[in-house]
Amino acid sequence: MKTLLKISALLLALPISVLANFSLPASADSTAGIILSTKCQGGYNINIWQNYTSGELLYRGNNPNGNLSLGKGTKQATEGVRVYKFRNRNYEYWVWDGTLDNPQSGTLEVYKNNRILMRQACKKS
């Protein structure tokens, strides 16, 4: 009886967990559109999204150390190149959309307390 109960619980939990994993990204895709996707040195992959209704900029990054998700970003044009800026406590993440020399490249910069910690070259994907 205990074995039957365990098997039943497992069979019920498995489809629920699979549905939860696949339904979450679909809902995120339906509320925001991707406006920039980059692959950077060091295994950093950055996606910038914009919410369709509010216009809010969202940062989604993953790297060998884990994932980072930020909101409330800003966009500025500097000498013809867009830069997206996001803040997380004492850290700022700047994603440059292209360079003056090459619009298909870019840069990821990470600052802590207004001091640069990291700069990685990126390519649009």
Side-chain angles (χ1 to χ4, degrees):
M1 184 69 173
K2 284 185 177 181
T3 305
L4 182 61
L5 188 60
K6 286 180 184 178
I7 291 173
S8 298
L10 180 63
L11 290 175
L12 181 63
L14 185 61
I16 292 171
S17 65
V18 168
L19 287 173
N21 275 338
F22 288 114
S23 66
L24 291 176
S27 64
D29 291 344
S30 66
T31 61
I34 193 161
I35 56 175
L36 178 64
S37 179
T38 64
K39 292 184 185 276
C40 305
Q41 292 176 343
Y44 294 87
N45 297 312
I46 310 298
N47 293 315
I48 308 294
W49 297 76
Q50 187 167 21
N51 185 291
Y52 291 128
T53 54
S54 69
E56 179 183 8
L57 294 173
L58 309 167
Y59 174 103
R60 302 291 184 261
N62 61 36
N63 65 65
N65 299 322
N67 300 325
L68 180 61
S69 181
L70 302 171
K72 299 181 182 177
T74 62
K75 175 174 67 171
Q76 297 174 331
T78 305
E79 298 179 12
V81 177
R82 282 185 303 269
V83 60
Y84 299 94
K85 297 180 181 181
F86 298 86
R87 184 173 205 82
N88 183 17
R89 297 187 185 126
N90 296 335
Y91 293 89
E92 283 189 50
Y93 299 83
W94 293 17
V95 182
W96 293 85
D97 184 2
T99 65
L100 292 175
D101 297 333
N102 185 353
Q104 290 302 311
S105 67
T107 307
L108 167 65
E109 296 176 341
V110 180
Y111 296 85
K112 181 179 182 184
N113 297 324
N114 297 321
R115 291 194 170 156
I116 192 157
L117 292 178
M118 180 184 74
R119 180 179 288 135
Q120 297 290 346
C122 305
K123 290 185 180 183
K124 290 184 184 180
S125 52

